[in-house]
Amino acid sequence: MLTRQELALATEEVLVSGSRPAASLIWADGGTVRTPSLSLLPADLFAERVRGAWRPLGPSDVLTNLHSCERLRPDHHFFNRFAAASGAACLPLGPLPDGAQDAWLDFFARTGVTALSAPPETVARLAGAAGAGRPLPWLRTLLLGGTLHDTTSDSLLSDRFPYTQVWRLYGTPATGVAGQHGPHCLTGLYHPLPHQHVEVVDGRVLVTTLDARRDPPLIRYATEERAEYASCVCGAAGPAIRLLGPADPHFRLHGRGVSARELVDSALATGEVTAAQVAVGRGQRVQLRVLLAPGVPDDHYTHDWIRYQVLESRLSLPAFVLDQPEVFDVVSVERLDGTSALAADEF
């Protein structure tokens, strides 16, 4: 199996040698600015190959892309490319602006928008608006996921967007998109895309990219996702996989895979912490629980400084985390639960 560390080393060697066979884009699957975990994907992000098996858009569609260009994540670029490959028009807006949501939704309706691609936190805002009496009758198609994993429930989407077809993708920044889910697929099931060979070995997802443009080659890359083989009722050929969640010590934050071990190591590197542990709470909130070193003041200034140091250099966290203390908080404790980087309890 190819580990993330081995892929990062091979990618660094390709970049230094200058031997890339085709134009590529560089993405981050974790790590920090000092110790990045980088990968290379072709400039088209396999959009044409994905389009061959997953067809939510056509020439009559106008797609608004609400993914942001954040922290070396490919989703914004992918959906722009995918819309072009589908013959659709694309409005690459980025994040839905705060404080003017209704005005922008009116703008989408007047512009003839028929489809949206959006990250989980934006989908939650749209679902909240629909629940508060702001329906979106013009929205025919909702595209979720990409190299993040959107687990917004099908029941919520069908309740808030009853006339909208929901299409999903699954992947990682290292593999690119690897599986597709159509509106007739069972909940949680994904079908491997033709340019990706997907295996489940000992409960872990392994991905091999079947495209010569991938350099370095991706052969049996071990993702941090747990899964099992399953059957789907949609009629697609071949087995599907059911995603079961990230493998310890990884967790999801608004669809992005995050390593609790890396966060703990970053906290220890500040010199102000002797031990740390990550806890994930309801509502997509995270606590970094720390044992402060002797003599370090236990006050909000120290907590804010540790938070800033831990988050600032990370490559796999969404940019909005830095600006929202309620999403990611540092908490001083007197003891930690066990030795795992990821706490077993919720808060």
Side-chain angles (χ1 to χ4, degrees):
M1 294 189 298
L2 179 67
T3 67
R4 193 176 73 170
Q5 292 75 22
E6 291 169 338
L7 176 61
L9 179 60
T11 301
E12 181 180 348
E13 292 175 351
V14 169
L15 288 170
V16 171
S17 70
S19 62
R20 298 184 307 280
S24 303
L25 296 172
I26 304 171
W27 306 108
D29 195 28
T32 66
V33 174
R34 287 183 176 273
T35 57
S37 181
L38 300 178
S39 62
L40 285 163
L41 290 173
D44 68 352
L45 299 173
F46 302 116
E48 291 279 2
R49 303 291 298 271
V50 177
R51 166 70 177 167
W54 192 68
R55 292 178 170 266
L57 300 178
S60 64
D61 283 300
V62 178
L63 171 71
T64 292
N65 183 357
L66 299 178
H67 287 272
S68 67
C69 300
E70 63 174 7
R71 300 265 176 158
L72 300 177
R73 302 289 301 212
D75 297 299
H76 180 87
H77 302 276
F78 170 78
F79 282 107
N80 291 343
R81 295 277 187 172
F82 183 78
S86 304
C90 183
L91 175 62
L93 180 66
L96 194 62
D98 290 331
Q101 177 171 289
D102 287 350
W104 279 99
L105 293 177
D106 288 338
F107 170 73
F108 298 157
R110 294 196 311 270
T111 310
V113 169
T114 62
L116 296 176
S117 60
E121 61 274 13
T122 301
V123 174
R125 285 180 61 189
L126 295 172
R134 180 60 199 257
L136 306 178
W138 45 265
L139 182 60
R140 294 200 308 244
T141 307
L142 185 60
L143 309 184
L144 304 184
T147 62
L148 49 74
H149 186 203
D150 192 325
T151 57
T152 305
S153 72
D154 290 334
S155 60
L156 174 66
L157 294 171
S158 62
D159 177 62
R160 301 299 169 84
F161 311 114
Y163 306 110
T164 301
Q165 283 197 335
V166 178
W167 301 69
R168 300 177 186 262
L169 289 172
Y170 160 74
T172 72
T175 63
V177 292
Q180 60 87 10
H181 172 107
H184 304 298
C185 293
L186 295 176
T187 299
L189 298 192
Y190 289 82
H191 299 275
L193 290 160
H195 69 287
Q196 306 277 34
H197 177 64
V198 178
E199 304 170 77
V200 178
V201 178
D202 296 330
R204 290 278 293 278
V205 177
L206 309 184
V207 179
T208 299
T209 300
L210 307 174
D211 191 304
R213 294 175 300 159
R214 183 68 199 246
D215 190 30
L218 197 74
I219 302 174
R220 306 196 81 210
Y221 175 74
T223 72
E224 302 300 337
E225 192 75 36
R226 297 180 297 111
E228 61 186 9
Y229 288 113
S231 298
C232 190
V233 299
C234 71
I241 60 170
R242 176 180 289 107
L243 297 177
L244 303 176
D248 185 64
H250 288 74
F251 64 95
R252 289 197 189 101
L253 179 60
H254 292 276
R256 289 82 167 170
V258 182
S259 168
R261 180 75 261 165
E262 289 183 352
L263 295 177
V264 167
D265 290 345
S266 293
L268 297 176
T270 66
E272 298 177 319
V273 173
T274 60
Q277 192 173 59
V278 174
V280 181
R282 299 174 181 86
Q284 295 285 289
R285 294 179 299 131
V286 176
Q287 283 184 352
L288 178 62
R289 299 171 178 173
V290 298
L291 296 179
L292 296 175
V296 174
D298 187 359
D299 55 34
H300 74 273
Y301 297 106
T302 298
H303 299 173
D304 288 348
W305 175 245
I306 294 171
R307 181 181 185 274
Y308 175 81
Q309 291 285 92
V310 169
L311 295 180
E312 175 61 26
S313 64
R314 301 233 63 83
L315 298 177
S316 62
L317 286 172
F320 67 80
V321 171
L322 274 171
D323 302 322
Q324 299 185 34
E326 70 278 6
V327 174
F328 187 102
D329 196 18
V330 173
V331 178
S332 175
V333 297
E334 295 183 356
R335 57 182 291 275
L336 297 175
D337 179 21
T339 60
S340 172
L342 188 62
D345 66 304
E346 289 189 344
F347 63 93

